[in-house]
């Protein structure tokens, strides 16, 4: 069983910064992709940023130049540094990982979500 445990998030004024962190715990034999998604009220969950096991990153156009995703392969953690936050960044942020687990297959795992609120 694999669990993704998130930390960070909260309330910040526009222009401020926040850092989200996520640790993958449990029977993990490999993680190919980690990243962050978000969901604002009344909208679908959307990808924010991802990083693969080679360190290649991808970002939503709306966050390019402001957010930075990074991972620590030794610790099975992924972080999201968010700078110059805007009110439209408000939402619930979910950690994601594609994990090779104890069933000896790849599975998609999600964190419980953490609220990020940016006030104007």
């Amino acid at each position: 069983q694999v669990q993704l445990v998130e930390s960070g998030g909260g309330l910040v004024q526009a222009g401020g910064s926040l850092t989200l962190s996520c640790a993958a715990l449990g029977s993990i034999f490999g993680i190919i992709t980690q990243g962050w998604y978000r969901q604002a009220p009344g909208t679908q969950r959307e990808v924010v940023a991802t990083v693969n096991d080679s360190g290649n990153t991808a970002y939503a156009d709306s966050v390019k130049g402001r957010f930075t995703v990074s991972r620590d392969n030794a610790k099975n953690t992924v972080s999201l540094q968010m700078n110059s936050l805007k009110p439209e960044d408000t939402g619930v942020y979910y950690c994601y990982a594609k994990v090779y687990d104890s069933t000896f297959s790849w599975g998609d795992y999600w964190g419980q979500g953490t609220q990020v609120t940016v006030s104007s």
Side-chain angles (χ1 to χ4, degrees):
Q1 186 70 10
V2 175
Q3 283 186 314
L4 302 186
V5 180
E6 301 162 353
S7 60
L11 174 64
V12 65
Q13 288 188 331
S17 298
L18 282 174
T19 301
L20 306 181
S21 298
C22 175
L25 307 175
S27 299
I28 298 169
F29 297 92
I31 301 178
I32 190 169
T33 301
Q34 290 178 281
W36 296 89
Y37 287 66
R38 69 186 179 191
Q39 186 169 19
T43 69
Q44 290 188 330
R45 191 175 298 186
E46 62 177 2
V47 61
V48 175
T50 60
V51 55
N52 67 14
D53 55 350
S54 297
N56 298 312
T57 58
Y59 296 92
D61 288 341
S62 60
V63 306
K64 283 180 181 176
R66 301 188 297 122
F67 290 11
T68 301
V69 63
S70 60
R71 64 187 280 174
D72 185 328
N73 291 332
K75 297 181 180 179
N76 291 333
T77 59
V78 62
S79 298
L80 184 68
Q81 175 67 43
M82 304 184 291
N83 298 326
S84 302
L85 282 161
K86 304 176 180 179
E88 51 263 43
D89 294 318
T90 294
V92 178
Y93 284 67
Y94 296 91
C95 176
Y96 163 81
K98 182 173 284 292
V99 178
Y100 197 75
D101 58 28
S102 59
T103 64
F104 301 106
S105 63
W106 292 101
D108 295 313
Y109 291 90
W110 295 90
Q112 77 279 8
T114 186
Q115 178 70 43
V116 172
T117 302
V118 184
S119 63
S120 57

